Amino acid sequence: MALKRRTKISASFSMSSMTDIVFLLLIFFMITSTMVHPNAIKLLIPKKSTKKVVVDTYLNVRVTASGRFVVDGKWMGSDQVEGSLTRLFARNDNSIIRLQTDANASTGDAARVLDIAESNGVKVILDIR
């Protein structure tokens, strides 16, 4: 008795389902990559212009590597900086801070001066020479 199979086994492989999965993954990664925002500081870079800014005084602030501050030639600690800067801001409305930092100075100390200036509405110029 000779038994024959009614269905033949096919050795072919259909790639259509695999390509569907690849396209779905591609779409998923394209959508999620546009939603990611890097953590960066927003800087306002001035545009080129011939307009001159009238500044009454520059407040020279220097941050040293040892964590001390020099405000208009006076040495002080980190606890005295905010009080002296707010007193200087109260005297003059058109003042701008010129911030200098040593090469090994802490960025936290420089950020402290920037926070004080921002809370008082004073502009800061970073002097990097």
Side-chain angles (χ1 to χ4, degrees):
M1 183 173 206
L3 296 173
K4 291 186 179 181
R5 289 191 172 176
R6 293 183 186 190
T7 59
K8 291 185 179 181
I9 298 175
S10 175
S12 65
F13 178 72
S14 176
M15 288 291 292
S16 62
S17 61
M18 185 68 76
T19 56
D20 289 343
I21 292 171
V22 169
F23 283 123
L24 286 174
L25 285 173
L26 179 67
I27 291 169
F28 172 76
F29 286 121
M30 285 175 56
I31 290 172
T32 56
S33 67
T34 58
M35 292 182 189
V36 175
H37 297 289
N39 294 332
I41 298 172
K42 184 177 180 182
L43 295 177
L44 299 175
I45 300 173
K47 296 177 182 172
K48 184 178 179 182
S49 67
T50 58
K51 180 180 167 184
K52 291 191 175 186
V53 177
V54 177
V55 179
D56 290 344
T57 58
Y58 283 108
L59 299 175
N60 295 317
V61 178
R62 187 172 141 228
V63 181
T64 63
S66 63
R68 298 206 48 196
F69 297 89
V70 181
V71 178
D72 280 341
K74 298 176 184 173
W75 287 85
M76 58 186 62
S78 62
D79 54 342
Q80 302 167 336
V81 172
E82 187 168 2
S84 65
L85 284 177
T86 52
R87 274 183 266 128
L88 291 171
F89 298 152
R91 287 188 209 161
N92 196 349
D93 292 336
N94 293 333
S95 59
I96 291 180
I97 294 178
R98 186 170 74 189
L99 180 63
Q100 299 172 331
T101 59
D102 289 347
N104 296 329
S106 171
T107 55
D109 293 335
R112 181 178 180 144
V113 174
L114 292 172
D115 288 338
I116 294 168
E118 183 181 1
S119 64
N120 291 304
V122 177
K123 294 182 182 179
V124 178
I125 297 173
L126 296 176
D127 189 4
I128 49 172
R129 286 187 230 165

